[in-house]
Amino acid sequence: MPVARIEATSAETSLGPSLETSSVASPSTAESASVAANLGRGPWPGEPASGRGRSHGTSSHHAFDRWFRYPAGFATDYVGLLLDRLHVESGTVVDCFTGSGVTGTAARARGLGFAGIEAHPLIAELARLKLTPSATGQAVRDLAACIEASAGRAIASAPNGWQRVLAEEPDLVRRSFAAETLYALVSLRQAIVSHADDPAAEYLKWALLATLRDVAGVKVGWPYQRPGVARKPRHTDAIKRFQVRAQFIATDLDSVASGVAKASSAQVVTGDSRDSAAWAKLSGSGIACVSSPPYLNNFDYADATRLELYFWGEVTTWGDMCREVRGDMVTATTQQSSVREKSEALDVLRGRSARHPDPAEEIVGLAEEMTKAKKERQKRSKEYDQVAPAYFVAMWDILQNLHDFLGAGSRAVWLVGDSAPYGVYIDTPRLIGEMSEAVGFTFTEDVHLRARGDRWRQNVDRHNVKLAERLIVMEKP
Ligand SMILES: C[S@@+](CC[C@H](N)C(=O)[O-])C[C@H]1O[C@@H](n2cnc3c(N)ncnc32)[C@H](O)[C@@H]1O
């Protein structure tokens, strides 16, 4: 049965700022939020004033979110509004695309448990550090002071051979910073690595990784790092900025210890949510899911974090990036796709179409339309037609795993955008909703949140199809 498309509330006008910072909300807005939350129904929140869904990445000032600004991440206050709207009072909240762990921190702030899977190994590490703390705030402060002193000594006694040390850094890293700044960053890194046995060192690794974009002297905004384009660094003193970032982390860890961020159980698995083996590592079952999958829009989560991956030495070549970082990720970019994968995915969809003609046949049809549209284009184009079939098979498998993990009566809300490769409109939220029905969910709501894609308006190759970000709601009967 088709699901009616509805409009979200603009939380800026009706729900007011974050519920977590309700002290700054006016009585009337806080009141209307709590009425909606208490009833577990009413309009779905659009955007809170202090962090916008996932349209601007994670918040740079909220506790935990500020550790590292992950592109396409949620903001904790927005997830908080969704959890309140779902009226989840106890149990485990699930996120099959955990990212930097924002659903987890929002769940913990409400005393709820969390179970998440994330394929990007570096980002899964960040989520795990936030959600299953292995050091106290004080331990992080103490080690930060020690690291600062040791980096300071290295800089003071810098051999004339700075250039030699820096020459060993990858090209992207060398080109992103002034030599003096890079020497400070490398000295901090060496000091952290030399304390690798101390659990607090992992936290300081993140204080340093997050410092990189703060002190870069070239454009390193998301999604592309452009070492050829200079910019004024936002902060000039790498050591001072590192200390500020270490302090953010320590303060947020203090809040967990003092119960401000309430104790609860959390599990984060580094792995592939298409794979039932990754789900088998999670114990218990879920009461709700708040998640946002990669969109079918060619955004490359591995490449977006290239500066951090190269600086820390997690990857040194493009091959490493494909294997180690992208290996478990859903195909959502042309860099990941292949002719073979397209053909295998189409076979899977044709096989599923006997039992589930909706949406399998539609996706096969869309793939044919895209292939045709690509051939008709005058210029050689990216292989979007190869991406879509594998993407939808992945979403289908993940929905099946999610369905198996959730308890009866649980609801899942996913924030999803549509897309229009070569101008062929793909209604991804509706198709995912229909797939959810194929695996046993009831697709109950489809909420329009906001227009998207305007950023690329000036691109002459861009289609004119209007795109949107939507919230789909699925319920396990
Ligand atoms: C839109 S982001 C979600 C961000 C998250 N909501 C947050 O607030 O940080 C999608 C995430 O899905 C992850 N991902 C992609 N394929 C995956 C897979 N097969 N299993 C688990 N995670 C995956 C990506 O690495 C990315 O971090």
Side-chain angles (χ1 to χ4, degrees), residues 33 84 163 235 245 292:
D84 289 336
Q163 299 310 333
H235 297 270
R245 289 207 161 272
S292 185

Side-chain angles (χ1 to χ4, degrees), residues 54 58 70-75 95-103 117-120 123 271-274 291-295 301 328-330 398:
R54 58 167 264 189
T58 42
Y70 190 44
F74 281 134
D95 187 351
C96 20
F97 305 100
T98 297
S100 54
V102 175
T103 294
I117 303 176
E118 169 55 47
H120 189 317
I123 298 301
D272 179 352
S273 51
R274 288 171 293 188
S291 195
S292 185
Y295 295 179
Y301 293 94
D328 277 344
M329 283 184 194
V330 163
I398 292 167

Side-chain angles (χ1 to χ4, degrees), residues 274 330-331 341-342 345 349 386-395:
R274 288 171 293 188
V330 163
T331 300
E341 195 187 32
K342 173 184 175 185
L349 288 164
Q386 289 180 182
V387 181
Y391 175 85
F392 282 110
V393 169
M395 290 302 139

Side-chain angles (χ1 to χ4, degrees), residues 49-387:
S50 53
R52 301 177 165 190
R54 58 167 264 189
S55 59
H56 288 254
T58 42
S59 147
S60 51
H61 57 274
H62 261 96
F64 298 98
D65 294 2
R66 62 184 173 172
W67 291 17
F68 183 76
R69 193 142 190 266
Y70 190 44
F74 281 134
T76 291
D77 56 354
Y78 183 65
V79 180
L81 291 174
L82 294 176
L83 289 173
D84 289 336
R85 172 61 182 74
L86 281 166
H87 196 41
V88 185
E89 288 187 320
S90 61
T92 298
V93 179
V94 188
D95 187 351
C96 20
F97 305 100
T98 297
S100 54
V102 175
T103 294
T105 46
R108 176 171 61 191
R110 282 156 179 73
L112 301 166
F114 176 73
I117 303 176
E118 169 55 47
H120 189 317
L122 188 68
I123 298 301
E125 172 188 298
L126 172 64
R128 197 172 309 107
L129 288 171
K130 288 179 185 175
L131 294 165
T132 57
S134 51
T136 61
Q138 194 51 46
V140 169
R141 271 183 212 100
D142 292 345
L143 187 61
C146 173
I147 301 273
E148 181 184 357
S150 134
R153 280 194 299 277
I155 293 165
S157 63
N160 295 332
W162 268 30
Q163 299 310 333
R164 189 178 43 75
V165 174
L166 300 187
E168 286 168 20
E169 296 299 313
D171 186 56
L172 170 70
V173 173
R174 254 184 303 116
R175 292 171 66 204
S176 296
F177 306 95
E180 196 178 340
T181 305
L182 182 54
Y183 195 71
L185 295 169
V186 169
S187 305
L188 286 165
R189 185 183 66 202
Q190 283 168 345
I192 295 168
V193 170
S194 72
H195 287 85
D197 293 343
D198 186 330
E202 284 195 294
Y203 289 87
L204 294 172
K205 167 183 172 181
W206 279 96
L208 182 55
L209 290 182
T211 298
L212 298 183
R213 291 181 197 241
D214 294 340
V215 298
V218 297
K219 291 235 177 198
V220 284
W222 310 105
Y224 304 114
Q225 293 121 101
R226 291 189 285 167
V229 186
R231 71 148 210 211
K232 195 165 169 274
R234 259 184 259 128
H235 297 270
T236 46
D237 187 329
I239 304 254
K240 267 202 197 132
R241 189 60 191 157
F242 165 76
Q243 281 298 348
V244 169
R245 289 207 161 272
Q247 194 54 243
F248 287 163
I249 293 177
T251 306
D252 297 345
L253 288 172
D254 288 343
S255 74
V256 184
S258 69
V260 174
K262 296 181 192 162
S264 58
S265 63
Q267 316 166 63
V268 178
V269 167
T270 306
D272 179 352
S273 51
R274 288 171 293 188
D275 181 359
S276 54
W279 291 84
K281 291 183 186 156
L282 298 171
S283 59
S285 65
I287 185 76
C289 168
V290 175
S291 195
S292 185
Y295 295 179
L296 199 47
N297 66 352
N298 225 21
F299 184 87
D300 184 340
Y301 293 94
D303 199 28
T305 50
R306 188 143 49 117
L307 183 62
E308 290 77 17
L309 289 163
Y310 275 62
F311 176 76
W312 203 259
E314 305 263 352
V315 303
T316 51
T317 62
W318 186 250
D320 279 354
M321 180 89 104
C322 296
R323 244 186 343 270
E324 315 290 335
V325 188
R326 253 194 222 124
D328 277 344
M329 283 184 194
V330 163
T331 300
T333 70
T334 46
Q335 292 93 314
Q336 295 167 282
S337 70
S338 68
V339 174
R340 204 184 77 188
E341 195 187 32
K342 173 184 175 185
S343 135
E344 287 172 358
L346 285 172
D347 285 348
V348 172
L349 288 164
R350 287 191 190 101
R352 290 180 189 179
S353 70
R355 280 194 64 205
H356 305 291
D358 285 340
E361 281 175 8
E362 182 176 342
I363 298 164
V364 173
L366 283 168
E368 284 161 7
E369 230 182 293
M370 274 187 270
T371 311
K372 186 160 164 274
K374 185 179 73 177
K375 281 198 191 123
E376 283 166 2
R377 283 169 76 90
Q378 318 214 308
K379 285 202 264 171
R380 188 173 147 65
S381 305
K382 290 192 174 166
E383 317 288 348
Y384 298 120
D385 59 312
Q386 289 180 182
V387 181

